[in-house]
Amino acid sequence: MRSMRVHELSEDISVLRMDEVTLPPPGPGEVRLRLKACSVNFPDILMVQGKYQFKPELPFAPGMEGAGVVAEVGPGVASVKVGDEVVAGLRIGGFAEEAIASAEACRPIPKGMDFVHAAAYPAAYLTAYVALVIRGNLKAGETLLVHGSTGGVGMAAVDIGKLWGATVIATSASDEKLKIVKERGADHVLNVTKGFREEVKALTGGKGADVIYDPVGGDVFDESVRCIAWNGRLLVIGFTSGRIPNISVNMPLIKGFSVIGVRAGEYGRRDPEAGRRNIEVVDRLAAEGKIVPYVCATFPLERAVEAMRVLQERKAVGKVVITMD
C-alpha cells in the first residue's frame, strides 16, 4: 500500500515522499484499516519539523485521525469486525492507504456522516469539549472568547460553546473567514489585526470574557490577559502563531484568573475511563447531528504536502482532509 512518510525531520514539509509499504498483520487488540480519509492537523506539521511533544521514530507517516473500513482484526478483538466502517484515533500513520490501529481507538462512524466528515470531527471536537467543559468549566450564560475561530479546533470551540449556552465572541485575522463563523452561529466576530481588547470589554459591559480559548499564543495570548474577567479561565490549546508566550504571575493574582493547559489526548491517556467518557459525549453529539465539521478542501493522498501547506499558510477554514480513493 502507499504511504506518505517522513524519513528526516525538516522545517520544509516537502520532505514527505510516497513509499510502498507492507504493514505487519495486526497484533492482539489491533485492527488493520483500509483508510478512506484522514484529516490534517497542525501537530502533523510540527511532527514533520520535530517540534511536537510526541516524537515518533523515523520513518513515519503523519496523520492523527482517520476514517475507513476494517480490513483485518488481530487476536482477541471482538469490538469491531471486518467490514465495519469506523473512525479511528491513530496519533500517526493516517497519511496512507492502510493503517494499524488499536481496536479500542475505533468507533462506528456516526449515522449519516460520510468518511470525509468522519475523519474531520474527532480530534477537533474532543479538544474543544475537554478544554471548554472539562478543564474550563464553561457555564451557560458565560462569555466565551474563541481565538483562531476559523481553524478546525476554533470552529469546534464555537460549536461547543453555543451548545453549552455561552455567548461566543469569535476572532480571526480574516473578515472573509469570519463571515463563515458568523453564519455557523458565533454571536460576535472580531478581526484581531488591530487588537481586540477594547472590543471584548465593550461587548461584555467592561467585565471581560469568562473563558478564553487560545490555540494561537503569541501576541493573542498577551492581549487576552488584558480582557479576561475576574475568575476567568484562559485555556492554552497551542501556539499556531509560532511564539510561546510568557506571563507575569502577578496578572492572574491581581485579576483572579486561571491559566489552564489543555491536551485532550493526554487527558485520556492519563485517565482512560474519563477519556472514554469524553469521547462518548463527542460521538453522541456527532450522531445526533449537533456537531458537523466544516471541511474547506480535500486532497488526494499524493498531494498531502499541499494539504498541509493550506494549514501552514493560514488558508484553511475549518478542516482540510486527505482522501485515499
Side-chain angles (χ1 to χ4, degrees):
M1 62 95 182
R2 299 183 306 157
S3 178
M4 286 291 285
R5 298 201 299 176
V6 181
H7 291 261
E8 59 177 320
L9 303 179
S10 173
E11 287 285 332
D12 183 359
I13 59 174
S14 65
V15 294
L16 269 75
R17 69 171 189 245
M18 189 73 80
D19 292 337
E20 290 288 336
V21 178
T22 300
L23 292 178
E30 294 180 334
V31 301
R32 178 171 59 86
L33 300 178
R34 186 170 297 113
L35 292 172
K36 299 293 186 179
C38 177
S39 76
V40 183
N41 292 281
F42 198 72
D44 296 324
I45 297 171
L46 296 179
M47 276 189 243
V48 173
Q49 297 172 330
K51 295 179 179 178
Y52 197 56
Q53 50 262 34
F54 172 56
K55 302 184 187 303
E57 292 184 11
L58 295 168
F60 70 90
M64 300 173 59
E65 56 184 343
V69 180
V70 176
E72 184 180 0
V73 299
V77 172
S79 57
V80 295
K81 64 183 184 300
V82 173
D84 284 352
E85 296 183 351
V86 298
V87 59
L90 300 168
R91 297 197 86 184
I92 58 171
F95 288 15
E97 291 175 327
E98 296 183 353
I100 299 295
S102 165
E104 289 187 354
C106 297
R107 297 108 64 194
I109 290 178
K111 185 178 180 180
M113 191 174 279
D114 59 24
F115 287 114
V116 168
H117 288 84
Y121 86 87
Y125 283 91
L126 181 64
T127 296
Y129 176 76
V130 171
L132 297 178
V133 180
I134 304 301
R135 301 286 283 146
N137 195 27
L138 180 68
K139 300 180 180 66
E142 291 190 313
T143 298
L144 167 65
L145 176 61
V146 178
H147 294 306
S149 67
T150 59
V153 295
M155 278 192 166
V158 172
D159 290 348
I160 295 294
K162 291 304 299 177
L163 283 172
W164 257 254
T167 297
V168 177
I169 304 172
T171 78
S172 170
S174 167
D175 290 331
E176 287 301 311
K177 292 180 180 181
L178 283 171
K179 288 179 183 178
I180 297 172
V181 178
K182 179 70 172 174
E183 290 169 358
R184 285 177 62 88
D187 296 285
H188 309 281
V189 293
L190 297 176
N191 189 313
V192 298
T193 306
K194 296 181 180 179
F196 55 87
R197 171 186 177 184
E198 295 306 321
E199 288 87 348
V200 171
K201 286 187 173 182
L203 289 170
T204 58
K207 173 187 172 185
D210 298 294
V211 178
I212 301 179
Y213 181 93
D214 181 20
V216 180
D219 295 343
V220 164
F221 178 93
D222 296 341
E223 191 166 354
S224 294
V225 171
R226 306 290 176 177
C227 61
I228 191 167
W230 174 262
N231 199 34
R233 288 83 79 199
L234 205 172
L235 304 172
V236 180
I237 313 300
F239 314 104
T240 60
S241 68
R243 179 172 72 84
I244 299 175
N246 296 312
I247 185 171
S248 298
V249 294
N250 65 311
M251 293 300 293
L253 171 66
I254 293 169
K255 301 189 72 175
F257 68 88
S258 303
V259 179
I260 303 171
V262 180
R263 290 180 64 195
E266 188 65 17
Y267 188 96
R269 285 186 285 274
R270 299 275 182 150
D271 188 340
E273 182 55 38
R276 281 190 287 272
R277 289 197 300 269
N278 295 338
I279 290 170
E280 286 172 1
V281 172
V282 172
D283 286 351
R284 175 174 54 80
L285 293 173
E288 293 172 352
K290 293 180 178 178
I291 56 174
V292 180
Y294 184 91
V295 177
C296 70
T298 61
F299 291 83
L301 179 60
E302 59 270 19
R303 295 172 61 194
V305 172
E306 292 178 59
M308 295 173 78
R309 284 214 169 101
V310 173
L311 263 69
Q312 191 177 43
E313 296 173 2
R314 309 291 192 268
K315 295 178 180 178
V317 182
K319 298 289 290 185
V320 176
V321 175
I322 293 169
T323 58
M324 313 313 167
D325 293 335

